[in-house]
Every structure is written in structure tokens, then in C-alpha cells.
Amino acid sequence: MVQKKTITAASLVQEGHPIATQSVPADFAWLRDSTGSETQTLYFHLENGCTGFVQLAWAYLALTTTIETNAMFYLPGQPCVFETHNGHHLKVKKDSQEFECKGLSMSWDKDHTKLSVKYTAGRERNPKGASATFEFVRKSDGYKIGDGKNYIGDGTAQHFFYPAGEITAQGEVGGTKFESKGSSMFVHAHSGNIMPYNVGAEWNMVFFVGHPESIPADQRTTANSSTYHVLQYTTPKSYGSVSCSNAALTDSNNLKAIFSNTLVEHHDLIEDKNGSGYSLPEHIVFTSTGKTVDGKSVKVVYDARPNQRLHDIDVLHEMPYVLRRLVQALITKPFVFERLENDTKVRVEVEGEDPYTLIGVAFNELTLMK
């Protein structure tokens, strides 16, 4: 088999130019073109301890188009709830900045600073299903590595980020109503002219929210919080096993650093007791190196031990039959492992400044498609 190349967006940035550029509203518009997939995802950590995400997903594979809603809610003291439902038809309006399907709608305001989200997919199908509304107000600029586009064989994969925003939420999960505020991140992902399972064989994702240890606990607010996120994937062997990574650090809702180089190390592999067939790391080290927005060298290290299991997603089990048969012929066991780590620490070292430690909560997601 002839190996196809992967060319990362970072490798195409000319010397002397910034590794990242500011994302614009058009980067978050639905594309829905060619064979591939597309997602719009809102991640959140709320002050009441609720963690999760809501996602609208589109895919066109083997002449079949699917629209799905995916949502996860974890409320402390309750079982984690994950729901995936057929969204049927996708309606896109307002220059592709407003979109809805059965059970989920997302709409940006005209300035592209506020996103309104309404999730009812669970409740519509089950009286005990989840429902929630969110208002996300982005506080930081968005970004993309280079032009945001990685070339994988004859296809492309793109990611665009709003790494920090304030969110208000109210909803009901498992019969428990909640209302809270907190921190959030929004991500638009798109792959074109390539099957989704050919984009990455392994994915590592982190969304951390915390505060410097130096800030007293009673003075920690959403406004003075920091966030650190990583989205890293490794292309399949047939495309060179190349690492593609996106990461950013924010401070008090302002972009502090953007990284195109994040090393992810898996340690202490233990056979999954839940029957996926994979060996899972109990210890993961994320090391991001790069420059701050004002040009200083910076390194961020997250020594993760995500020991709280939220949910394991058997991707084939959740897929429609036609797609399941197609993917199953090429991938043995696609799984997504959702984990949470409370009271975790992230170390930040900036050139010319004293190193400091952030303490907070991190959502970890590991996807294996081998």
C-alpha cells in the first residue's frame, strides 16, 4: 500500500509569521460539503459542578447523510447522562450562523459574540430525558492554527475555536433541575473528502478551567478564571501517523498563548474492565510549547490522572445500521472514553516570569479507532 501524506496547517506557516490566526464568523458557518463530517460543539464547566457538552453532528458517508444530536451531562452525585439521537433534517439559516434539527438549535447573534443553544432531544423522546438551554458569551478572540486546515491524503480536516466564554445554563437531567453559570468553549470541526475514521486513529482532548493557586478560594470567579484546552490527534499509519494538535491558554478570558505543538504521553496502561478491548492510560501527560500572544516562550504541562469515569461510548453501537456496517468493515473497535478530574493542576512557565500553577477541573476525552 502506498502511504499517503499528512501536511499540517502548522507546517505551512511561513517562517516569521504567527503560528495562529484569528478565526472569523465565517469559520463557524456550516459547510456540509463532500464526503466527510462536521460538528459544532459547546463544552462547559458550571459552578454547580455540572460538566458536559452538547453537539450537533453531520456526516455524509456512502451516499447517506446523517444528522445527530449528542449531549453529555454530569451532575455531582448522579450518574452521568449521555444521549445521542437522530436529528432528522438540518435547517441552516442566517448566513449559516443559525442551525437547528429535531431536538437542538444553535444561533449566533449578529455580532457573533453570543450563542443561544436549546437542547430538548432527550425530553422529546423520554419524559426522563435531558433538556437544557444555554447562553454562551465569548470573551476571548477565536483562533485557528495557520489557516486551520490540515491536509490528510486527498482530504482535509479543520478546527476553529472560541477557547473562553461565560455561560449561563438551566435545565433538567434525570429529574433534577439545575440553574448555574460557568466557563465554556466552542469548537467547529469539519473534514472534507475523507472518511471521518481516516482523519485520526487516536484523539486526545482536554478542557480545563481553573485559577492560579495564589488567588484565595473565596475570590475565584468565572471572570478571573483561566482555561487550557488541547485537541490532538494522530493520523492513521496509512497517512503517516502524524500528530496534529491545537491548544490554547487563556487568562481572565483573554488569550494568553496558542500552541501548535503538544506532546501527549500515555502511562500506566490498564486493560479496560468494561470490555472495550483497549488498554487505557491511568496517567496522561500533556506538554504544550510555543509562544504567548506577545512573543514570549511558554510551556504548559498538565500531568493528568483522570480517574473519574463518566461514560464510555461504543461508536458502532450508536451508529445507524448502514454506516455501522461500512465502518465496521474498516475499524474494529471505535470507542470514546469520557473522564473527569477534579482538583487537578496545570503548570505554566512563561519566559521572564515566575512559574505558576493553576488548580481546577478538567474534562478528558480519549478516542481510539484502531
Side-chain angles (χ1 to χ4, degrees):
M1 178 183 293
V2 177
Q3 188 180 83
K4 297 184 178 181
K5 290 184 178 180
T6 296
I7 303 173
T8 67
S11 69
L12 295 175
V13 176
Q14 297 182 1
E15 186 175 352
H17 288 71
I19 197 67
T21 54
Q22 184 172 332
S23 57
V24 296
D27 292 328
F28 296 89
W30 277 97
L31 298 176
R32 297 175 296 159
D33 60 341
S34 71
T35 295
S37 64
E38 190 165 5
T39 58
Q40 304 263 7
T41 312
L42 180 70
Y43 297 92
F44 54 86
H45 289 297
L46 304 182
E47 292 177 357
N48 67 349
C50 182
T51 289
F53 63 84
V54 291
Q55 179 184 79
L56 183 53
W58 169 92
Y60 179 70
L61 307 174
L63 303 179
T64 301
T65 300
T66 61
I67 305 296
E68 288 187 354
T69 63
N70 301 305
M72 190 198 78
F73 299 89
Y74 169 70
L75 286 167
Q78 296 191 21
C80 181
V81 172
F82 173 77
E83 300 178 338
T84 183
H85 297 290
N86 188 335
H88 297 285
H89 302 292
L90 178 65
K91 299 177 182 178
V92 180
K93 310 174 185 177
K94 207 170 64 175
D95 297 326
S96 294
Q97 302 295 342
E98 179 180 321
F99 22 90
E100 66 176 302
C101 65
K102 181 176 175 58
L104 179 60
S105 64
M106 298 182 175
S107 178
W108 287 100
D109 67 358
K110 64 179 182 180
D111 298 323
H112 218 258
T113 56
K114 182 171 70 175
L115 176 72
S116 298
V117 178
K118 185 176 182 180
Y119 175 79
T120 58
R123 179 61 52 82
E124 288 177 8
R125 294 164 172 84
N126 186 330
K128 295 183 179 180
S131 63
T133 58
F134 303 89
E135 187 172 279
F136 168 78
V137 179
R138 69 176 184 89
K139 294 296 184 179
S140 71
D141 289 333
Y143 82 91
K144 54 194 173 188
I145 300 298
D147 67 354
K149 188 177 294 185
N150 295 313
Y151 294 86
I152 305 172
D154 297 323
T156 60
Q158 306 175 73
H159 289 88
F160 308 99
F161 301 84
Y162 283 133
E166 296 181 357
I167 191 169
T168 56
Q170 56 183 357
E172 185 172 348
V173 178
T176 299
K177 294 182 179 181
F178 69 90
E179 184 171 355
S180 189
K181 60 181 180 179
S183 299
S184 191
M185 172 178 73
F186 190 80
V187 183
H188 178 207
H190 173 267
S191 66
N193 200 36
I194 186 171
M195 295 293 192
Y197 48 78
N198 281 331
V199 175
E202 176 184 301
W203 297 70
N204 294 274
M205 182 269 181
V206 166
F207 178 45
F208 166 90
V209 175
H211 294 82
E213 281 187 313
S214 58
I215 297 180
D218 61 354
Q219 296 179 23
R220 296 173 185 173
T221 66
T222 298
N224 64 17
S225 65
S226 295
T227 71
Y228 170 62
H229 79 260
V230 174
L231 178 58
Q232 181 274 341
Y233 60 93
T234 302
T235 59
K237 289 182 180 180
S238 56
Y239 292 88
S241 297
V242 175
S243 175
C244 304
S245 64
N246 310 261
L249 175 71
T250 70
D251 180 14
S252 298
N253 286 322
N254 296 308
L255 264 174
K256 188 176 182 71
I258 300 170
F259 308 93
S260 64
N261 182 23
T262 297
L263 175 65
V264 182
E265 301 170 283
H266 289 187
H267 301 284
D268 303 334
L269 297 177
I270 303 295
E271 184 178 352
D272 180 23
K273 297 179 182 179
N274 296 305
S276 69
Y278 286 110
S279 292
L280 304 178
E282 293 189 330
H283 179 200
I284 309 173
V285 180
F286 298 83
T287 305
S288 298
T289 54
K291 297 286 186 179
T292 62
V293 293
D294 56 358
K296 298 178 182 178
S297 295
V298 57
K299 180 170 75 171
V300 176
V301 179
Y302 171 34
D303 194 337
R305 298 180 185 272
N307 53 12
Q308 184 174 350
R309 175 179 178 266
L310 297 179
H311 190 75
D312 296 346
I313 304 172
D314 181 342
V315 177
L316 290 180
H317 177 75
E318 303 292 351
M319 276 187 167
Y321 176 78
V322 174
L323 295 183
R324 183 166 67 247
R325 298 300 296 172
L326 171 67
V327 175
Q328 197 168 26
L330 299 165
I331 304 174
T332 307
K333 298 169 295 187
F335 267 83
V336 182
F337 303 94
E338 316 278 17
R339 301 292 186 265
L340 185 68
E341 186 176 15
N342 285 295
D343 298 322
T344 190
K345 295 182 179 181
V346 170
R347 184 72 170 171
V348 181
E349 300 176 9
V350 179
E351 177 186 3
E353 301 179 11
D354 292 334
Y356 63 94
T357 298
L358 302 170
I359 185 168
V361 59
F363 170 64
N364 289 261
E365 182 178 85
L366 170 62
T367 302
L368 298 175
M369 292 193 285
K370 300 179 181 180

